[in-house]
């Protein structure tokens, strides 16, 4: 299956993507994670992306689309994948369609995670992320780790992402409404969108997502 996950920052895309990809036995491809890996390795691509990310803006399409295509061309993605954070605007959605068409493929479903805006800001401003694995996330109020600053799952160091400050979150939300929301209508016109609420316990949301994808495929 080829699935696109959309939803505002803080909807829990990264968390859900990790579980869904495992359940569906397909790789989880996160452009945010790919950029962060490039930044921590100090690659030229990471250097290009860093300033945009810090400001809560989109990294230019020339950089992003090439990086996403390289990842989708890897062997483990031949049988399907779950895209998280890509496409993020109409130009990227059209590029993805073009890329898949060249391989006689298409997107099978678009899973849209809905969450109210004030909840998003609360979730992100208190979020702490593990340096070893971005799917390991905690919250200073709602999901405290047992030992402060240490990941319960793997012992990794917890940190606050540079773009998780309240000011940058508001900027990211603005960019989401302007640039990313239009792709939902684009995919709706193709009959691909399933929308679910992202509120509730993590495993409840995963179950809701699995049920919605199964109903879509039936
Ligand atoms: P979130 O979904 O919580 O905003 P991500 O980790 O997906 O977090 O993305 C963080 C940042 O990485 C974005 O604000 C943006 O600067 C950059 N980024 C990620 N994916 C893309 C993309 N497809 N196009 C452009 N920029 C991107």
């Amino acid at each position: 299956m080829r699935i696109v996950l959309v939803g505002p920052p803080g909807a829990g895309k990264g968390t859900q993507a990790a579980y869904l990809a495992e359940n569906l036995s397909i790789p989880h491809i996160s452009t945010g994670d790919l950029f962060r890996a490039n930044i921590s390795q100090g690659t030229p691509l990471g250097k290009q992306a860093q300033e945009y990310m810090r400001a809560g803006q989109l990294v230019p399409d020339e950089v992003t689309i090439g990086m996403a295509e390289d990842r989708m061309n890897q062997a483990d993605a031949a049988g399907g994948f779950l895209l998280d954070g890509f496409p993020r605007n109409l130009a990227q959605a059209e590029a993805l369609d073009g890329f898949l068409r060249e391989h006689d493929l298409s997107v099978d479903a678009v899973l849209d995670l809905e969450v109210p805006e004030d909840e998003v800001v609360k979730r992100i401003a208190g979020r702490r992320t593990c340096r070893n694995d971005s799917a390991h996330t905690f919250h200073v109020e709602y999901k405290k780790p047992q030992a402060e600053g240490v990941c319960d799952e793997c012992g990794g160091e917890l940190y606050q992402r540079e773009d998780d400050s309240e000011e940058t979150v508001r900027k990211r939300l603005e960019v989401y409404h302007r640039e990313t929301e239009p792709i939902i209508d684009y995919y709706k016109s193709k009959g691909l969108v399933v929308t679910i609420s992202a509120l509730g316990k993590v495993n409840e949301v995963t179950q809701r997502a699995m049920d919605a994808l199964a109903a879509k495929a039936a």
Side-chain angles (χ1 to χ4, degrees):
M1 256 192 136
R2 287 172 185 80
I3 302 171
V4 172
L5 204 55
V6 290
K13 289 194 300 294
T15 305
Q16 291 305 328
Y19 287 117
L20 291 171
E22 197 181 331
N23 281 343
L24 298 165
S25 303
I26 48 178
H28 165 206
I29 300 181
S30 157
T31 42
D33 285 351
L34 291 172
F35 284 132
R36 280 184 287 277
N38 275 279
I39 290 172
S40 65
Q41 288 156 19
T43 68
L45 192 148
K47 293 202 172 87
Q48 278 180 291
Q50 193 162 26
E51 289 310 310
Y52 295 98
M53 289 178 76
R54 197 175 274 156
Q57 281 166 354
L58 296 190
V59 179
D61 290 343
E62 310 83 85
V63 178
T64 307
I65 292 169
M67 178 183 76
E69 290 187 352
D70 283 349
R71 180 63 190 88
M72 290 186 287
N73 271 327
Q74 285 172 26
D76 67 331
F81 44 72
L82 180 64
L83 292 177
D84 161 16
F86 181 87
R88 230 178 175 95
N89 61 21
L90 275 179
Q92 293 181 10
E94 282 162 5
L96 174 63
D97 276 349
F99 169 86
L100 291 174
R101 213 177 303 121
E102 274 172 30
H103 297 79
D104 277 324
L105 298 169
S106 56
V107 171
D108 297 301
V110 176
L111 184 67
D112 170 26
L113 295 182
E114 259 189 349
V115 56
E117 193 139 327
D118 51 345
E119 175 72 16
V120 162
V121 177
K122 271 194 270 172
R123 283 186 183 189
I124 299 193
R127 174 161 74 179
R128 298 294 179 270
T129 305
C130 174
R131 286 213 190 266
N132 293 342
D133 186 336
S134 66
H136 301 166
T137 55
F138 298 83
H139 192 282
V140 292
E141 278 172 54
Y142 312 132
K143 190 184 170 199
K144 290 185 186 166
Q146 281 172 357
E148 201 184 317
V150 182
C151 175
D152 288 354
E153 313 236 6
C154 71
E157 183 200 349
L158 299 180
Y159 76 113
Q160 180 172 33
R161 266 171 48 181
E162 207 174 7
D163 59 351
D164 275 355
S165 67
E166 186 161 341
E167 192 194 333
T168 311
V169 172
R170 297 210 180 272
K171 179 72 199 167
R172 282 158 62 199
L173 274 169
E174 192 189 305
V175 170
Y176 178 76
H177 291 310
R178 194 179 60 236
E179 303 273 339
T180 310
E181 264 179 356
I183 74 171
I184 299 177
D185 284 333
Y186 172 83
Y187 285 126
K188 271 188 183 156
S189 72
K190 296 174 186 279
L192 292 174
V193 178
V194 279
T195 301
I196 63 161
S197 162
L199 293 179
K201 295 210 180 83
V202 169
N203 60 347
E204 288 167 4
V205 179
T206 309
Q207 193 54 52
R208 217 176 278 151
M210 289 299 292
D211 292 346
L213 288 172
K216 180 90 192 75

